[in-house]
Amino acid sequence: MSTVYQQIGGGAAVDAAVDIFYRKVLTDDRISRFFDDIDMDVQAAKQKAFLTMVLGGPANYTGQDMRRGHQHLIARGMNDDHVDAVIELLGQTLAELGVSPAAIGQIAGVAESVRDDVLDRPAGSPRGTQPGSSNTAAAAAAEKRGPCGPSCGCAHNQ
Amino acid sequence: MSATTMATAVTLTLTTDQEQSKSFTLEPGESVLSALLRHGVAVPNSCRAGACQSCMMRATAGTPTPDSQKGLKDAQRVKGLFLACACVPTSDLTVRFADGDTASRAKGVIRRVDRLSHDVARVLIETKEPVSYFPGQFLNLVRSDGLVRSYSLASLHSPAGVAPGDDALELHVRRVRGGQMSEWLHGDDVVGETVELHGPMGDCFYVAGRPEQPILLIGTGTGLAPLYAIVRDALRHGHTGPIRLYHGARGPAGLYLIDELRALAARHTDFAYTPCVLEGPADDAAVRVGPIDQVVLADTPKLTGHRVFLCGDPTIVTALRKRVFLAGANMKDIYADAFVMRASS
């Protein structure tokens, strides 16, 4: 089964989607303040990576990237409501590009799956759960250990 | 692909300023990023899918694959920038880190200083060997005592393949009170001094192609320097779409090159020049009064399909960038160069 990424035309279509999505984000009063004072080119590249991932295109993001990348925004008050707004604008963007409502629902589900990472709290947290730094520390330690376990002795444990 | 080309090993060479260049043989199907990481070269990277652009590098010999330049700005493509994770080379390639833009160094002699306004001087620098650059890029000017400042190039002398224009490098230097370099360049005895030039750098320049595309250029202060070069570069490339230049200053005394730009507009019907001042009144009826973003957007509210160049004061450039993007210009078509002024040190 082809992904929505392939259906809408791959990387070029995602470029178009980024411009539409980013314009919505910058003009949305609920979340635009989080996007002030940043380099727009850098931000657009990040949004392209995000859209590529949720559309099922090639991506190598980990939960840790999501956690690290949003901690400064949590410090500025980012919460579930802001994540809701992003998912809503994502849906509007895809609708403008002619993606079917069923596919948009599926994509929103993918975006939903990183909510706890973005808000830096344990997976499956109920709405409104505050970020948990102990969880971040545990996850960071797990990532540092790597896939081979603490007794392996390989470079992952250095 | 034939069996013979399949069998040809592709060599990847990495050059840096610090060490001797290193060459690696690529595995079949291996990307530049994978090969460098495999050999212990620390390359910044994140998505490894051609999206996040953190692994951007520059090819100095050989051609990066088209896949690895998708999503980049035209100005980045012509400079040989590409994404290492998305580049599986089919022929030999020599690369360097993208921030290694300052590889070229040249000695120059200051030949002339002309006053363009009460606080802006045109400084002409001659080099023994021609310096290759895209008009509108900037370079670092290094004085003999090591003091360094960045200046944009207003001149047209250009890389191989295009007929050369002006012979000397032209910089526009605003006198900053207490500014060590600008006070020196505005001084009486600077002509004949030798300086070192590092660069060129930056993505703010005209790329030939899409000649019918409307171009909008907005600059404040000496942000006019690169725009003056870009406008003339576009015109000599035979750009056919409308080209509109807005130059903003706080008051009328901050405007310069007015006569030259008006003469240029008289010669080219597709080029329009609009001087703006923040605080009026302007003696000249053709000078518009008001914040420059408002003046521009009142003339052209929809910027869909435009190529946009923004240069000058960082606060204004940042704000303009958002305004022109929200007015419909694509991110990839917006080129911005923010000037940071230093009073001393």
Side-chain angles (χ1 to χ4, degrees):
Chain A
M1 195 183 79
S2 69
T3 62
V4 177
Y5 179 80
Q6 289 158 335
Q7 286 164 29
I8 66 171
V14 174
D15 283 337
V18 168
D19 272 21
I20 298 172
F21 179 60
Y22 195 10
R23 262 187 213 109
K24 289 184 188 299
V25 164
L26 285 179
T27 49
D28 191 298
D29 290 341
R30 291 170 295 178
I31 54 173
S32 62
R33 69 186 173 94
F34 293 114
F35 296 88
D36 288 342
D37 319 320
I38 45 158
D39 184 313
M40 285 178 69
D41 281 332
V42 172
Q43 185 59 27
K46 286 182 179 166
Q47 297 201 354
K48 186 179 174 190
F50 169 67
L51 289 177
T52 303
M53 180 196 74
V54 297
L55 296 175
N60 288 293
Y61 272 80
T62 66
Q64 273 307 299
D65 293 326
M66 286 289 168
R67 284 176 196 270
R68 272 194 221 104
H70 293 91
Q71 274 170 359
H72 63 294
L73 298 178
I74 292 174
R76 286 169 57 188
M78 186 180 70
N79 61 34
D80 278 295
D81 294 340
H82 304 116
V83 176
D84 292 346
V86 166
I87 294 176
E88 179 190 317
L89 299 178
L90 172 66
Q92 288 176 13
T93 303
L94 297 170
E96 282 180 34
L97 290 168
V99 178
S100 72
I104 291 174
Q106 190 193 331
I107 292 159
V110 179
E112 195 61 61
S113 72
V114 299
R115 179 188 291 264
D116 290 325
D117 285 331
V118 166
L119 293 174
D120 195 22
R121 63 195 186 193
S125 296
R127 241 189 115 75
T129 303
Q130 292 302 304
S133 55
S134 59
N135 184 66
T136 306
E143 187 178 72
K144 201 176 172 194
R145 273 201 305 280
C148 27
S151 60
C152 160
C154 77
H156 286 117
N157 292 312
Q158 303 303 304
Chain B
M1 198 184 280
S2 72
T4 41
T5 54
M6 287 281 284
T8 312
V10 175
T11 303
L12 173 69
T13 305
L14 174 72
T15 60
T16 61
D17 290 338
Q18 292 80 33
E19 302 167 49
Q20 274 195 316
S21 51
K22 294 179 205 159
S23 289
F24 314 105
T25 303
L26 293 177
E27 301 282 340
E30 191 174 36
S31 72
V32 170
L33 178 64
S34 302
L36 292 174
L37 293 176
R38 183 162 64 85
H39 287 95
V41 180
V43 184
N45 71 89
S46 183
C47 79
R48 302 195 191 179
C52 75
Q53 304 194 353
S54 48
C55 66
M56 201 186 296
M57 297 190 77
R58 184 177 183 184
T60 53
T63 312
T65 59
D67 272 355
S68 67
Q69 294 190 306
K70 268 189 206 159
L72 300 189
K73 296 186 178 210
D74 287 344
Q76 295 174 316
R77 277 195 302 102
V78 300
K79 282 176 22 176
L81 293 174
F82 69 99
L83 303 177
C85 71
C87 185
V88 179
T90 50
S91 55
D92 293 354
L93 196 63
T94 302
V95 302
R96 54 186 303 133
F97 289 107
D99 55 5
D101 231 4
T102 55
S104 148
R105 281 155 195 254
K107 286 240 186 276
V109 176
I110 297 174
R111 280 291 171 232
R112 244 183 102 153
V113 179
D114 302 315
R115 210 149 289 278
L116 297 176
S117 78
H118 73 103
D119 67 348
V120 175
R122 173 180 10 221
V123 177
L124 296 177
I125 300 173
E126 251 174 35
T127 55
K128 209 169 186 181
E129 298 296 321
V131 175
S132 179
Y133 63 90
F134 293 103
Q137 283 192 294
F138 65 94
L139 40 76
N140 282 340
L141 185 73
V142 188
R143 200 167 67 179
S144 58
D145 63 354
L147 185 73
V148 186
R149 291 290 183 272
S150 300
Y151 292 102
S152 288
L153 291 159
S155 41
L156 274 191
H157 195 102
S158 23
V162 183
D166 311 351
D167 285 314
L169 300 172
E170 174 181 338
L171 319 176
H172 296 174
V173 179
R174 188 165 76 87
R175 184 171 202 152
V176 182
R177 199 176 291 275
Q180 292 183 57
M181 187 71 93
S182 70
E183 298 263 17
W184 179 67
L185 289 170
H186 276 251
D188 294 329
D189 48 2
V190 74
V191 171
E193 292 277 351
T194 300
V195 289
E196 199 170 310
L197 305 159
H198 297 180
M201 290 166 272
D203 297 337
C204 218
F205 56 85
Y206 179 79
V207 177
R210 294 188 288 168
E212 70 300 327
Q213 187 179 30
I215 296 181
L216 173 67
L217 309 100
I218 312 171
T220 63
T222 48
L224 180 62
L227 302 184
Y228 184 53
I230 293 165
V231 165
R232 288 176 299 145
D233 200 26
L235 290 171
R236 77 172 168 175
H237 273 94
H239 196 89
T240 54
I243 303 172
R244 281 184 293 261
L245 168 67
Y246 290 82
H247 182 215
R250 196 156 293 151
L255 297 170
Y256 66 93
L257 286 181
I258 299 176
D259 294 341
E260 287 86 341
L261 287 164
R262 283 184 174 157
L264 195 64
R267 288 201 301 277
H268 297 274
T269 49
D270 287 327
F271 170 60
Y273 160 63
T274 309
C276 311
V277 294
L278 189 57
E279 292 150 12
D283 306 332
D284 187 330
V287 175
R288 306 271 291 274
V289 180
I292 196 162
D293 57 334
Q294 289 177 21
V295 172
V296 171
L297 290 167
D299 290 351
T300 320
K302 282 263 174 231
L303 295 174
T304 310
H306 279 64
R307 199 184 314 187
V308 182
F309 296 91
L310 309 170
C311 299
D313 177 84
T315 315
I316 298 175
V317 165
T318 304
L320 276 171
R321 199 174 189 184
K322 200 159 162 180
R323 294 295 301 268
V324 300
F325 173 64
L326 293 178
N330 285 331
M331 284 293 294
K332 268 164 63 177
D333 286 329
I334 304 174
Y335 296 97
D337 196 351
F339 290 10
V340 181
M341 295 289 173
R342 273 178 295 190
S344 57
S345 87

